[in-house]
Amino acid sequence: MKIALIGPRGAGKSKLSRKLSKKIEWVAFSTDILISYEAGGKTIKEIVEQEGWFSFRNREYEILKKLYTMDRIIIDCGGGILFDVDPYTQKEIESQRKIELLKQNSFVIYIQRDLDWLLQKNINNAQRPSLSQDEDYETLLLRRLPVYKKYANFVLDMKDREIEEGVEEILFFLRKKSLYSEIFNK
């Protein structure tokens, strides 16, 4: 079994995955960090600028395939994990190949934040590449948010909550769904 955290950039997936990792003693892996590592240390922004989003999404898929050979891990997914780029139109589309992997033997948790909070958090972040040449970040989020929810086993609403509260709610939900004993191997 795996736990995969999905949601837009800046939602808190990395912080949650690290805290949850300590609680349940599973290793947490960041897809973005692994992609950067395999690209020789290039940043995500550098990869996208040099290779484009189509190539980046393929790198993301390859990393996800490698992670799915492992068990009892937490996957901190990049914000676009549920998406690919159509090679003909260059438009973002749902990624059936990555969604299928995520749904295999995984408990998928969508980290939900308010639209305004996400917009404020991500405004003018020079470390991250622009997500689209055709639409602004708000339009992209409005299109993506329902997709995260559609493929999640659990939606964790982080409005006005601290990371520790989010971790406790995840654990509470896992207990409720009888997945807790599987996670703690009890």
Side-chain angles (χ1 to χ4, degrees), residues 64-129:
L64 204 54
K65 283 195 319 190
K66 290 175 183 175
L67 289 171
Y68 270 77
T69 65
M70 303 170 78
D71 200 26
R72 299 174 61 82
I73 62 171
I74 299 167
I75 304 171
D76 164 16
C77 298
I81 198 74
L82 300 181
F83 305 94
D84 270 325
V85 175
D86 183 290
Y88 303 107
T89 66
Q90 295 300 302
K91 300 285 185 195
E92 190 173 85
I93 56 173
E94 284 184 30
S95 175
Q96 293 310 309
R97 64 186 181 160
K98 289 188 273 179
I99 291 165
E100 284 177 22
L101 276 175
L102 283 169
K103 296 303 270 182
Q104 286 179 21
N105 196 26
S106 289
F107 188 76
V108 180
I109 302 171
Y110 164 36
I111 310 306
Q112 181 175 280
R113 295 279 191 175
D114 289 339
L115 181 64
D116 290 337
W117 190 93
L118 290 166
L119 292 172
Q120 188 63 36
K121 170 101 174 164
N122 290 290
I123 198 164
N124 300 324
N125 187 336
Q127 302 293 355
R128 298 182 184 213

Side-chain angles (χ1 to χ4, degrees), residues 21-179:
S21 171
K22 287 179 183 175
K23 282 274 193 186
I24 65 174
E25 298 178 354
W26 285 12
V27 177
F29 291 96
S30 162
T31 58
D32 284 350
I33 289 173
L34 291 171
I35 290 167
S36 180
Y37 172 79
E38 287 201 349
K42 290 180 188 174
T43 66
I44 301 303
K45 186 175 183 177
E46 289 170 333
I47 295 167
V48 171
E49 286 174 352
Q50 293 169 13
E51 301 175 17
W53 279 111
F54 182 81
S55 175
F56 178 80
R57 295 293 176 220
N58 285 330
R59 284 178 177 269
E60 196 171 51
Y61 176 64
E62 293 303 318
I63 288 294
L64 204 54
K65 283 195 319 190
K66 290 175 183 175
L67 289 171
Y68 270 77
T69 65
M70 303 170 78
D71 200 26
R72 299 174 61 82
I73 62 171
I74 299 167
I75 304 171
D76 164 16
C77 298
I81 198 74
L82 300 181
F83 305 94
D84 270 325
V85 175
D86 183 290
Y88 303 107
T89 66
Q90 295 300 302
K91 300 285 185 195
E92 190 173 85
I93 56 173
E94 284 184 30
S95 175
Q96 293 310 309
R97 64 186 181 160
K98 289 188 273 179
I99 291 165
E100 284 177 22
L101 276 175
L102 283 169
K103 296 303 270 182
Q104 286 179 21
N105 196 26
S106 289
F107 188 76
V108 180
I109 302 171
Y110 164 36
I111 310 306
Q112 181 175 280
R113 295 279 191 175
D114 289 339
L115 181 64
D116 290 337
W117 190 93
L118 290 166
L119 292 172
Q120 188 63 36
K121 170 101 174 164
N122 290 290
I123 198 164
N124 300 324
N125 187 336
Q127 302 293 355
R128 298 182 184 213
S130 173
L131 293 170
S132 174
Q133 295 174 332
D134 302 330
E135 58 189 359
D136 62 27
Y137 186 55
E138 182 174 2
T139 304
L140 181 119
L141 277 176
L142 288 170
R143 187 173 37 78
R144 279 185 175 185
L145 295 178
V147 178
Y148 296 125
K149 195 171 199 174
K150 176 179 173 182
Y151 294 107
N153 298 106
F154 175 61
V155 177
L156 177 63
D157 187 351
M158 286 298 291
K159 181 178 180 173
D160 301 325
R161 302 177 86 183
E162 297 296 323
I163 295 298
E164 291 77 14
E165 292 174 287
V167 168
E168 289 306 317
E169 185 170 335
I170 290 170
L171 293 175
F172 175 79
F173 188 82
L174 293 173
R175 279 185 201 100
K176 192 170 129 181
K177 290 293 181 185
S178 301
L179 295 170

